């Protein structure tokens, strides 16, 4: 038995899965930022 292929496209127009959207919004609300960047929020994280 082989697994079905999965298509991952960061530029897709398909809406986020509701669970993924909820996780993203929670992370943004919590103040998530990319610590590798130089802007204030990233330096704080």
């Amino acid at each position: 038995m082989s697994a079905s292929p999965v298509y991952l496209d960061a530029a897709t127009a398909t809406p986020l899965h509701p669970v993924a959207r909820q996780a993203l919004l929670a992370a943004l609300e919590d103040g998530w930022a990319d610590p590798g960047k130089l802007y204030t929020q990233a330096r704080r994280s």
Side-chain angles (χ1 to χ4, degrees):
M1 177 181 358
S2 67
S4 299
V6 177
Y7 179 70
L8 303 174
D9 182 4
T12 186
T14 305
L16 285 174
H17 186 281
V19 175
R21 184 177 188 280
Q22 183 179 15
L24 173 62
L25 293 175
L28 292 174
E29 184 178 303
D30 193 38
W32 182 89
D34 183 352
K37 303 297 181 191
L38 297 176
Y39 54 91
T40 304
Q41 294 86 349
R43 289 195 313 264
R44 188 175 64 227
S45 70

